[in-house]
Amino acid sequence: MLNTTATPTHCPYCALQCGMNVTPGPSGEGPSVEGRTEFPVNQGALCGKGQSAAAVLSSRVRLTEPLVRSPATGRLETATWEEALDRVAEGLARARAGHGADACGVFGGGSLTNEKAYALGKFARIVLGTSQIDYNGRFCMSSAAAAGQKAFGLDRGLPFPLEDIPKTGCVVLVGSNLAETMPPALRYLSELKANGGKLIVIDPRRTRTAEQADLHLAPRPGTDLALALGMLHLVVAEGRVDEEYVRERTRGWEEARSAAMAHWPEYVERVTGVAVPQLRAAVGMFTDAEHAMVLTARGPEQQSKGTDTVGAWINLALATGRPGTPLSGYGCLTGQGNGQGGREHGQKADQLPGYRKLTDPAARAHVAEVWGVDPEVLPGPGRSAYELLDALGSDVRALLLMASNPVVSAPRAAHVESRIRSLDFLAVADVVLSETAELADVVLPVTQWAEETGTMTNLEGRVLLRRRALAPPTGVRTDLEVLQELTARLAPDLEKGFPTDAREVFDELRRASAGGLADYSGISYDRLTEGEGEGVFWPCPVGAGGTPRLFLDRFATEDGRALFAPVSHRPAAEEPDAEYPLYLTTGRVVAQYQSGAQTRRVAELNKAAPEAFVELHPRLAARLGIEQGDTVTVTSRRGRATAPARVTAAIRPDTIFMPFHWPGAGRANTLTNPALDPTSRMPEFKVCAARVSKSSLSGA
C-alpha cells in the first residue's frame, strides 16, 4: 500500500535548508512538497526552486542506471553496477600503480551530506592515500572562512541565528542579492525595516535586494576592500570607534587603524566611484545604531584579495564594537546547501574532521585513532579546487568526482574542460547527467535528497536531519554504498570502516570531531529528531546544549581576543584597459541554481529563466549600437561567450553582468579569471576585464 504520509525534511538547494514536507503521490504522479511552517528558518515559505524540487526526483530527468564508455563506440552505454564499480576501481588502481597515490584525485561537492563528505575525505586519505582532494565549496565562502579564522579563531558562517537580524538596528549587506539567491531569507530584512532598522546594500548592480535598501552603494567591481577601509577611516576620523570594546576584546588595532588612515574619503571615491557623501551617510547609519551587523557574501569574497576584503569588513565591525555582542556582529551568508558542513569534516584539501588542521600532529593522531590507522599514513595537504582541476591530465591522472559540475562552474571553464578531457580516467557519481558527467568513463547514478537520510549544516551552523521521504528508483545506490563497494575492491581490509548506514557514519563523525573547533560530538540523530526538528547549533560537545550565538564571552583565539587585519587596498588581478575596457561580474538568477545541472531540468524554472544573458547599461548599449534582445559577444583574455543583451539602468555603465548557470555559448565561466587569493585560494569570479560587441548573429 502506498505511504501517503508527509515526511518532514529539508530543501536540496541553498544553505537556508528550508524545512519542507514531502508527500508521495498516487500511482502515476510524483511526490509533492510544501513548506514546513514550524521550521524557524523559513516558517513555511519556499522559493520557486524549493516548490519545484520534487521534479528532479522524476526518472525522466535523472540517472537510474550506471553508464560506462564503450571502447567500441566511444559512447556512454548502460552497464551493471558490478561492471561499473569494477571499472572505477581499475581506473583508480591503474593511476595509483603507474604514477603514485597522488595521481588519484577526488573532487566533492557542497551538496553532499555531512556523512558523505566525511566518508569521501576518509576514502581519499586512507583508501587511495592521496592528498589530492578538494571540493566546489572552495568556490563558495573560503575567503570568509579564512578571514573569520584569522579574526575570531573560528569560522561559522553566521555566529548568530537568522532570527537576530530583524532585531538589530542596521545591516550592511555586502555583495549579496538575497532576493534572488535565498528568497525566503528576504523576510528577515523586511522585518528589520518594519522594526525601524536600516539596510545598506553594497553591490555594483541595483538588484532586487538593493531596491529594498535605505542606502545603496554601487562600487566598481573589485573595490570592496577600498570601500571598507574608507568607511573605517571615517569611523576613526569622526570619533566613532568603540574604544572600550577595542581595548578589552581585540588585538592589532594600531596596525589596522594605521592602514585604514591611508584610505581617505576622496581617494576611496576615486577608486570605488562611491561619492564621499554616500560614504559618510553609510558610516553614520551604521554607527548611530545601538546594534548593527555586517554580512558578506560572494561579492567581496570571490576576489583574488577576498580574504583581505572580508578582513576589512570585519575590522569595521570590530572597531565599532559589534562582534560578540547581542544582536550585533559579523557573518557570512553561505551559499551551497552544505557548504559549511562540507568543509568541516574532510573534503577540503587542508582539513580533517572537526575543522582540524591536517598539518597539526595532534589532530592527525586523533583522527587516525578513530579511523584505526597510523597517523603516518595520512597524506599532507593537497591542492585547492582550481589548482587540482588545473593539474588534471598531468600530475593527476584519474579523478573521482561527486556532486559537482566544474565544466560549467569552474573559472576559465574551457581550460578546465580541456584538462578533464585529458584525464586517463574520470568517474562521476551524480543525480543527473551533467555536462561534466557527459565526459566521464563511468557514471554512477546515486540517490538524492528525498531518497536518503543524512545531516546538513545550514548557514547558521544549525545541524539538521534531512530525512528520507521516498524510496529511490531501482538501480540507484547511495554515495555511501559506492564508497564501501570501491573500498572493498581497492582496500578490502578497510571495508568495515565504510558503513552504508548514515547514522553509523554520523556516530563515527561525532567521535572524529570531538574536541575540534567544529565539535559535533554532543549531537545525535535522536537529538535531531526531538521536538520540531529545529536542529542543534555547533559547537556542541557531549553534554552541551549547542551554541546558537558565538563569542559572547570570548573569541575562539588563544587569548580570547579578536584580531584586527592590517590590510590595504590593491587592484584586482586584471583591471580594464584599452583592449578590454569593461568590468565583467557574474552571479545568479532566482530561478536557477549553481551550474544549473538540476534546475535546468525543471520546466517551470526554465520557463522563468531559459538562457544566459548579458546585462549592460543604456549608455554603454547606445555607444555600441546594442538594443534590448540583440545577441552580443563578451570577450575576455580566456575566451568568449554569446547571449542576448538586457539593457538596464540597474548596473554601472562601466560594468557588464552575466549569470553563470548555463553551459555552451552562454557559459559565463569561459570568461572568468582563475587568479587565486593567496590565503583562501578562492578564484576571482567576481571581476575581470572584458569587452562586449554586437554579434553578427543579431543581423548587424
Side-chain angles (χ1 to χ4, degrees):
M1 183 176 177
L2 178 69
N3 173 24
T4 58
T5 303
T7 300
T9 187
H10 294 273
C11 180
Y13 293 115
C14 80
L16 285 179
Q17 284 300 288
C18 290
M20 60 169 54
N21 291 317
V22 177
T23 305
S27 179
E29 294 184 18
S32 62
V33 301
E34 62 179 3
R36 187 149 53 94
T37 57
E38 67 273 17
F39 185 62
V41 171
N42 62 309
Q43 297 181 8
L46 294 175
C47 72
K49 294 186 290 290
Q51 292 169 351
S52 62
V56 187
L57 296 165
S58 169
S59 296
R60 294 189 296 273
V61 300
R62 52 93 59 86
L63 293 165
T64 57
E65 296 179 292
L67 304 173
V68 299
R69 194 164 299 281
S70 167
T73 66
R75 292 193 296 268
L76 287 171
E77 299 178 356
T78 58
T80 66
W81 268 98
E82 292 303 307
E83 179 185 358
L85 290 165
D86 286 347
R87 287 275 293 270
V88 176
E90 290 165 4
L92 295 171
R94 188 165 54 248
R96 187 173 57 179
H99 305 280
D102 276 358
C104 293
V106 176
F107 198 89
S111 62
L112 294 177
T113 63
N114 289 315
E115 293 82 357
K116 294 191 288 187
Y118 171 83
L120 187 61
K122 180 180 179 182
F123 175 84
R125 293 184 173 103
I126 69 171
V127 176
L128 297 178
T130 182
S131 67
Q132 301 302 299
I133 174 173
D134 212 79
Y135 82 129
N136 62 16
R138 176 79 67 170
F139 300 156
C140 179
M141 58 174 288
S142 56
S143 292
Q149 287 174 312
K150 285 183 177 182
F152 309 128
L154 174 67
D155 152 51
R156 194 182 82 187
L158 291 180
F160 41 76
L162 284 161
E163 68 185 49
D164 285 0
I165 292 175
K167 302 171 188 175
T168 194
C170 179
V171 168
V172 179
L173 185 64
V174 190
S176 172
N177 182 13
L178 283 178
E180 300 209 48
T181 60
M182 297 179 175
L186 192 64
R187 73 175 178 88
Y188 293 101
L189 301 181
S190 299
E191 290 174 13
L192 166 76
K193 296 187 66 178
N195 291 338
K198 301 297 184 182
L199 174 63
I200 302 169
V201 172
I202 297 170
D203 197 304
R205 304 165 63 223
R206 188 165 181 80
T207 63
R208 289 168 57 189
T209 306
E211 289 174 353
Q212 309 301 312
D214 297 282
L215 179 62
H216 172 220
L217 307 183
R220 294 185 180 96
T223 64
D224 309 85
L225 176 52
L227 186 66
L229 290 165
M231 290 179 67
L232 183 55
H233 177 113
L234 287 171
V235 165
V236 176
E238 296 178 1
R240 296 173 181 267
V241 175
D242 187 332
E243 300 285 358
E244 181 181 358
Y245 175 96
V246 168
R247 183 173 57 253
E248 298 294 331
R249 299 206 61 184
T250 72
R251 285 184 291 118
W253 169 233
E254 293 302 323
E255 295 86 350
R257 181 178 64 180
S258 178
M261 296 315 287
H263 298 75
W264 60 95
E266 292 76 15
Y267 165 72
V268 171
E269 179 178 315
R270 290 199 303 272
V271 171
T272 66
V274 176
V276 172
Q278 284 193 305
L279 283 175
R280 294 189 185 279
V283 168
M285 200 176 288
F286 181 64
T287 56
D288 287 347
E290 180 181 358
H291 307 292
M293 297 174 178
V294 176
L295 304 177
T296 66
R298 304 303 81 74
E301 297 162 21
Q302 289 181 325
Q303 299 184 28
S304 60
K305 53 183 183 295
T307 302
D308 284 358
T309 301
V310 174
W313 289 107
I314 292 175
N315 285 352
L316 179 67
L318 288 172
T320 52
R322 309 305 190 175
T325 60
L327 304 181
S328 295
Y330 162 79
C332 166
L333 297 165
T334 310
Q336 293 193 78
N338 202 30
Q340 183 75 49
R343 72 177 176 284
E344 291 167 4
H345 300 301
Q347 282 192 104
K348 199 160 170 274
D350 56 353
Q351 288 180 190
L352 287 169
Y355 228 133
R356 289 182 159 90
K357 293 182 179 179
L358 193 50
T359 54
D360 178 1
R364 294 169 65 88
H366 174 85
V367 174
E369 182 179 5
V370 174
W371 289 352
V373 299
D374 190 314
E376 294 300 315
V377 309
L378 299 180
R383 294 176 172 92
S384 70
Y386 179 77
E387 292 167 303
L388 173 56
L389 295 171
D390 191 40
L392 300 181
S394 53
D395 294 345
V396 179
R397 309 299 288 265
L399 182 68
L400 173 63
L401 184 146
M402 287 186 166
S404 186
N405 188 18
V407 164
V408 178
S409 64
R412 198 185 173 197
H415 171 74
V416 168
E417 180 178 344
S418 72
R419 301 317 307 155
I420 290 172
R421 290 180 181 275
S422 71
L423 281 164
D424 294 342
F425 180 80
L426 171 64
V428 173
D430 210 333
V431 173
V432 297
L433 190 66
S434 70
E435 287 73 22
T436 304
E438 289 176 353
L439 305 180
D441 296 283
V442 178
V443 182
L444 304 175
V446 291
T447 52
Q448 53 179 308
W449 62 286
E451 301 163 351
E452 59 186 9
T453 294
T455 59
M456 304 286 280
T457 304
N458 84 341
L459 77 171
E460 307 163 293
R462 189 193 298 258
V463 183
L464 305 163
L465 185 64
R466 196 171 69 182
R467 298 170 176 85
R468 170 173 158 155
L470 308 164
T474 302
V476 172
R477 299 187 183 183
T478 71
D479 296 278
L480 294 178
E481 290 173 322
V482 168
L483 293 175
Q484 184 191 65
E485 291 281 3
L486 291 178
T487 301
R489 289 162 169 79
L490 293 165
D493 55 322
L494 297 175
E495 182 181 358
K496 290 183 179 179
F498 289 85
T500 60
D501 179 74
R503 181 191 289 258
E504 190 175 345
V505 176
F506 189 76
D507 285 342
E508 183 180 301
L509 181 158
R510 295 169 59 200
R511 298 195 303 275
S513 73
L517 289 172
D519 190 335
Y520 282 33
S521 60
I523 306 173
S524 67
Y525 271 34
D526 288 338
R527 281 193 68 178
L528 294 176
T529 55
E530 291 174 356
E532 301 292 347
E534 294 185 3
V536 178
F537 291 84
W538 73 262
C540 183
V542 172
T547 316
R549 295 169 181 85
L550 297 172
F551 314 137
L552 295 180
D553 299 317
R554 69 191 309 275
F555 294 99
T557 55
E558 190 171 336
D559 63 1
R561 292 170 175 260
L563 179 63
F564 279 95
V567 296
S568 296
H569 173 69
R570 61 183 184 275
E574 186 178 87
E575 290 284 328
D577 57 18
E579 187 176 4
Y580 300 97
L582 301 170
Y583 294 99
L584 168 68
T585 192
T586 63
R588 307 180 193 176
V589 298
V590 66
Q592 300 289 353
Y593 181 71
Q594 302 297 72
S595 74
Q598 296 180 61
T599 52
R600 285 186 278 110
R601 288 168 166 79
V602 179
E604 61 194 88
L605 299 179
N606 275 336
K607 183 178 180 181
E611 61 184 349
F613 58 87
V614 179
E615 194 174 272
L616 67 165
H617 192 275
R619 291 209 301 268
L620 175 62
R623 191 170 77 241
L624 299 174
I626 294 170
E627 296 181 356
Q628 179 80 6
D630 283 349
T631 300
V632 297
T633 298
V634 181
T635 307
S636 78
R637 289 181 173 86
R638 287 151 296 280
R640 63 178 57 194
T642 59
R646 288 193 183 177
V647 181
T648 173
I651 192 168
R652 293 177 54 94
D654 58 3
T655 301
I656 55 176
F657 167 84
M658 289 189 72
F660 52 64
H661 309 291
W662 287 272
R667 182 172 61 182
N669 278 319
T670 297
L671 308 165
T672 49
N673 191 352
L676 301 180
D677 179 283
T679 301
S680 68
R681 316 309 288 170
M682 167 75 86
E684 193 154 55
F685 287 100
K686 280 295 182 280
V687 54
C688 71
R691 65 174 181 263
V692 63
S693 60
K694 189 172 180 178
S695 171
S696 60
L697 297 176
S698 294

